[in-house]
Amino acid sequence: MDPLRRSPSPCSSRPSSPRTPPCEMLGYVGIEAVLDQLKIKAMKMGFEFNIMVVGQSGLGKSTMVNTLFKSKIWNCTPLDLGQGPVPQTLQLHSVTHVIEEKGVKLKLTVTDTPGFGDQINNDKCWDPILGYINGQYEQYLQEEILITRQRHIPDTRVHCCVYFVPPTGHCLRPLDIEFLQRLCRTVNVVPVIARADSLTIEERENFRQRIQHNLKTHCIDVYPQKCFDEDINDRILNSKIRDRIPFAVVGADQEHLVNGRCVLGRKTKWGIIEAQWS
């Protein structure tokens, strides 16, 4: 046996993946200008973002939306404050606004679900919500497969669903588990702890750990999903986000002066609770 000839290693026996050989450029082409063109086009057309908020009445869904975008997106009605009659069936209400910040336009559509979980019998109360989400997907698909389709197809698909968990301090209710198992297969779900200022820091952390255990036990895949962990930087960022799920939120739409600066928050006799995500 020739001592200079070595047996091929297991790695070398695998078929090599085809690679495109690098092309030597002889001068400036202008490929980098594509990024600027895409940016100009995106700034001119603007962006669309459709969000759905789901939760029982009185959890501050409207206030949270106003806090998140620092605008009067949704006006609080007597129904939101718990002073009006409880709807007999689940209803879907949508409102659309165009928000502009530093030349960037955002067409924001917020869909509320008043009446969810407010009845004595909440059997299949999620059907109208899932039907609406699937209907928007179907409508967009039908427009997209047309031969002579519109140049810009209106995007009414629900991009994100924020699910409000009551601050009980215990764990997810059977209604929450049953609904989230169906919802996570259809849309990106972001669970939040509503009115988190009603819990102490210790109670909030224990409540978060119990909810994380419920999500893992019942195979509820919330955003960000594992399929977004292809890049190492995205994996690190997503891991930090998953550790904070469900987010604890305190919503407020009134400004108060604190140490010489205006902050959004709720004023109590103990002080001002600044509205923030944690």
Side-chain angles (χ1 to χ4, degrees):
M1 180 177 179
D2 189 354
L4 299 179
R5 177 177 295 181
R6 299 178 180 177
S7 60
S9 61
C11 296
S12 60
S13 62
R14 299 176 182 176
S16 59
S17 58
R19 294 183 178 181
T20 304
C23 178
E24 181 180 358
M25 299 182 64
L26 303 178
Y28 178 77
V29 178
I31 301 177
E32 61 178 4
V34 176
L35 181 60
D36 296 333
Q37 295 174 6
L38 293 176
K39 181 179 179 180
I40 294 174
K41 183 178 180 180
M43 294 283 289
K44 183 178 180 180
M45 295 181 59
F47 302 91
E48 295 178 339
F49 184 58
N50 306 323
I51 182 174
M52 174 181 284
V53 289
V54 180
Q56 288 182 321
S57 301
L59 293 181
K61 300 187 297 295
S62 304
T63 305
M64 193 282 294
V65 173
N66 295 336
T67 304
L68 185 61
F69 297 98
K70 294 185 177 180
S71 304
K72 295 293 183 179
I73 302 296
W74 201 283
N75 295 324
C76 295
T77 60
L79 178 62
D80 298 327
L81 301 177
Q83 301 175 358
V86 178
Q88 297 299 320
T89 58
L90 178 65
Q91 304 171 4
L92 296 176
H93 294 161
S94 297
V95 60
T96 301
H97 291 281
V98 177
I99 304 176
E100 184 173 355
E101 182 181 31
K102 295 183 179 181
V104 181
K105 293 182 179 180
L106 174 65
K107 184 179 179 181
L108 175 66
T109 300
V110 181
T111 302
D112 193 8
T113 58
F116 175 81
D118 295 337
Q119 308 300 324
I120 297 178
N121 183 9
N122 292 305
D123 186 28
K124 297 183 179 180
C125 63
W126 47 77
D127 285 349
I129 298 176
L130 298 178
Y132 175 81
I133 295 176
N134 292 326
Q136 303 309 311
Y137 283 131
E138 182 66 23
Q139 180 179 348
Y140 188 87
L141 177 61
Q142 293 300 325
E143 290 288 340
E144 195 174 33
I145 62 178
L146 292 176
I147 298 178
T148 56
R149 57 179 176 268
Q150 305 180 46
R151 183 177 180 182
H152 175 69
I153 302 176
D155 190 359
T156 59
R157 298 170 296 177
V158 179
H159 301 138
C160 176
C161 179
V162 181
Y163 187 80
F164 286 73
V165 180
T168 60
H170 300 289
C171 58
L172 291 178
R173 303 168 299 171
L175 174 62
D176 301 327
I177 296 174
E178 194 75 17
F179 178 65
L180 289 175
Q181 284 180 331
R182 290 170 169 80
L183 189 65
C184 68
R185 306 169 189 169
T186 309
V187 69
N188 296 318
V189 181
V190 178
V192 300
I193 302 175
R195 300 188 178 276
D197 55 320
S198 62
L199 302 172
T200 63
I201 297 179
E202 293 78 11
E203 292 174 341
R204 187 185 64 191
E205 292 303 320
N206 293 333
F207 190 31
R208 175 181 283 130
Q209 293 178 6
R210 294 191 188 101
I211 293 178
Q212 290 178 351
H213 178 71
N214 292 146
L215 296 176
K216 184 177 180 180
T217 302
H218 297 280
C219 300
I220 300 175
D221 195 12
V222 298
Y223 183 85
Q225 292 84 354
K226 293 291 185 179
C227 60
F228 297 116
D229 292 349
E230 296 180 357
D231 185 75
I232 181 63
N233 295 327
D234 294 338
R235 189 182 306 117
I236 297 175
L237 177 61
N238 293 339
S239 298
K240 294 180 180 179
I241 295 176
R242 294 188 188 102
D243 292 338
R244 306 307 301 170
I245 288 177
F247 300 107
V249 60
V250 177
D253 50 10
Q254 294 183 358
E255 290 186 347
H256 301 276
L257 187 63
V258 179
N259 297 329
R261 64 187 184 95
C262 290
V263 297
L264 288 173
R266 292 211 306 269
K267 187 176 181 180
T268 65
K269 61 180 180 180
W270 300 281
I272 296 178
I273 303 175
E274 185 176 353
Q276 61 181 349
W277 294 75
S278 63

